[in-house]
Amino acid sequence: MPSNKHRNRGSKINDDTMMPPNKQNTPSQEYEDDEIEAMQDTDFKKFMIRTFRSFQKQILELQKSLMDKIENLSRENEILRKSQNETQKLVEQESVIVKRNQNEMKSSIDQMTNTLESLKNRMGEAEERISDLEDRAQENIQSNQRKEEEIRNLKNIVGNLQDTIKKTNIRVLGVPEGMEREKGLEGLFSEILAENFPGLEKDRDILVQEAHRTPNKHDQKRSSPRHVVIKLTTVKHKEKILKCAREKRQITLRGSPIRLTADFSSETLQARREWRDIAQVLREKNCQPRILYPAKLSFVNEGEIKTFHSKQKLKDFVATRPALQKILKDVLHSETQKHGHQYERRERKNTYQ
């Protein structure tokens, strides 16, 4: 697996840092360019950090070696000074030794200087690569954010189109499967109007344009009946029927309870659901909350009706009303935490991808 492969290489790099400088291979020599590019961002950063630490250790070892040689040279020079009074021959011999050592030391210094310069260049290249990777990661984050924004906009457009198409629809919940065999779904809807709203049943302007169950295919494993969608000719008639349903509260079909609701897109339904907890708290405080078409929250505050299209607008308004802030503090805090967890999950998902 890729993770094991990187782990094995990491342990190999740690072993290499314990070797003498003249026998040690740098971590960057163990990887080909295509292998480095194949690494994930996180693994590559760890790899570069290990490489940098290895270079640091080599420099310290080279410095120590140099200091040791300088110290040895000082001791030899001291011996030479003490032996000058003994014999000229010894002085000459020692002079030859000193010169030879000086040449070796100069050669070693030159070699170490070249090595240090090479290490410095590699460190510069590593820093440039890290900077490039950070820039690339930031570009990916911005690109993902733009894509998410485009997806949200497209979802809103699709939701608005679906809501426009469904604007005249009424959704009937709780009608048993097969009950439409006698009269059809349109006949059942007329029966609902006659049983619950006798005045509306006589209104000949209320016309059913289309009626069907959703989803189209019946799942035998499903315990509840499929919903019935009634498409009327005008929005006015739909609103009139739903208003009567809200006033009557208990709607029945042949004595069995059913429900009449507006028909919305899945995005709008989700947006309306997100208002429910807030609306429940406001209802308990007698603020008369309502969820308006398509997904707006309306309630009474200080004698005035306030309407909000988004939770951010509501939060901004609540921040200016201490009494309302006290009422909605807990529910808004829980909403913020929930969205924060959702954002973290998306970020982790993007990181793994």
Side-chain angles (χ1 to χ4, degrees), residues 21-22 58-59 61-73 98-117 119:
N22 58 344
Q58 292 181 36
I59 290 171
E61 291 174 353
L62 289 173
Q63 288 177 339
K64 185 177 182 304
S65 175
L66 177 60
M67 294 302 297
D68 291 340
K69 288 191 176 183
I70 291 174
E71 187 176 354
N72 291 336
L73 180 62
V98 169
K99 288 181 180 179
R100 185 171 63 249
N101 290 337
Q102 286 177 340
N103 291 334
E104 291 177 355
M105 185 182 67
K106 183 180 178 181
S107 177
S108 298
I109 291 174
D110 292 340
Q111 185 178 359
M112 284 185 285
T113 301
N114 293 334
T115 302
L116 289 172
E117 188 66 27
L119 290 174

Side-chain angles (χ1 to χ4, degrees), residues 29 33 49 57 102 138 142 170 218 222 231 248 254 278 281 329 331:
Q29 293 173 340
D33 289 343
I49 290 172
K57 190 169 183 179
Q102 286 177 340
Q138 185 63 31
Q142 294 175 353
I170 291 179
H218 176 50
R222 180 173 176 163
K231 187 175 185 63
K248 191 174 186 298
R254 300 178 185 177
I278 297 174
V281 173
K329 179 180 178 181
V331 67

Side-chain angles (χ1 to χ4, degrees), residues 149 151-161 163 267:
E149 183 65 26
I151 290 171
R152 281 194 297 269
N153 292 336
L154 289 174
K155 285 183 177 180
N156 289 335
I157 292 171
V158 172
N160 291 336
L161 289 174
D163 289 333
E267 288 78 12

Side-chain angles (χ1 to χ4, degrees), residues 227-269:
H227 297 177
V228 175
V229 177
I230 305 295
K231 187 175 185 63
L232 302 176
T233 54
T234 65
V235 177
K236 177 183 175 182
H237 293 148
K238 181 198 81 169
E239 294 294 343
K240 191 174 183 179
I241 293 171
L242 291 179
K243 181 180 179 182
C244 292
R246 286 193 296 269
E247 292 173 352
K248 191 174 186 298
R249 294 189 179 182
Q250 184 66 38
I251 310 300
T252 60
L253 174 60
R254 300 178 185 177
S256 298
I258 60 173
R259 285 178 57 201
L260 300 183
T261 67
D263 190 24
F264 298 106
S265 66
S266 58
E267 288 78 12
T268 302
L269 282 173

Side-chain angles (χ1 to χ4, degrees), residues 127-259:
E127 290 175 354
E128 289 179 0
R129 282 197 170 187
I130 291 173
S131 178
D132 291 341
L133 286 172
E134 290 175 346
D135 293 342
R136 202 176 305 169
Q138 185 63 31
E139 291 174 359
N140 290 337
I141 291 172
Q142 294 175 353
S143 176
N144 290 335
Q145 291 174 345
R146 286 194 297 269
K147 288 178 181 178
E148 288 180 358
E149 183 65 26
E150 291 174 0
I151 290 171
R152 281 194 297 269
N153 292 336
L154 289 174
K155 285 183 177 180
N156 289 335
I157 292 171
V158 172
N160 291 336
L161 289 174
Q162 290 179 342
D163 289 333
T164 301
I165 294 171
K166 298 180 177 185
K167 202 168 187 179
T168 59
N169 291 2
I170 291 179
R171 189 174 283 249
V172 186
L173 288 67
V175 178
E177 294 283 346
M179 186 177 282
E180 66 270 21
R181 290 172 187 166
E182 296 179 17
K183 300 180 179 180
L185 293 174
E186 295 181 14
L188 283 180
F189 186 66
S190 298
E191 189 175 338
I192 292 171
L193 295 183
E195 184 175 333
N196 297 275
F197 322 113
L200 293 180
E201 193 270 337
K202 296 176 182 179
D203 189 348
R204 300 195 177 277
D205 291 335
I206 299 178
L207 299 176
V208 177
Q209 187 175 352
E210 180 186 339
H212 64 275
R213 283 192 183 268
T214 181
N216 294 329
K217 291 184 179 180
H218 176 50
D219 186 359
Q220 298 295 334
K221 296 180 181 180
R222 180 173 176 163
S223 58
S224 59
R226 292 173 294 166
H227 297 177
V228 175
V229 177
I230 305 295
K231 187 175 185 63
L232 302 176
T233 54
T234 65
V235 177
K236 177 183 175 182
H237 293 148
K238 181 198 81 169
E239 294 294 343
K240 191 174 183 179
I241 293 171
L242 291 179
K243 181 180 179 182
C244 292
R246 286 193 296 269
E247 292 173 352
K248 191 174 186 298
R249 294 189 179 182
Q250 184 66 38
I251 310 300
T252 60
L253 174 60
R254 300 178 185 177
S256 298
I258 60 173
R259 285 178 57 201

Side-chain angles (χ1 to χ4, degrees), residues 80 83-84 86-96:
L80 288 173
S83 63
Q84 282 180 352
E86 294 177 0
T87 168
Q88 186 66 32
K89 184 177 180 180
L90 290 176
V91 170
E92 291 177 355
Q93 292 176 351
E94 292 297 329
S95 298
V96 171

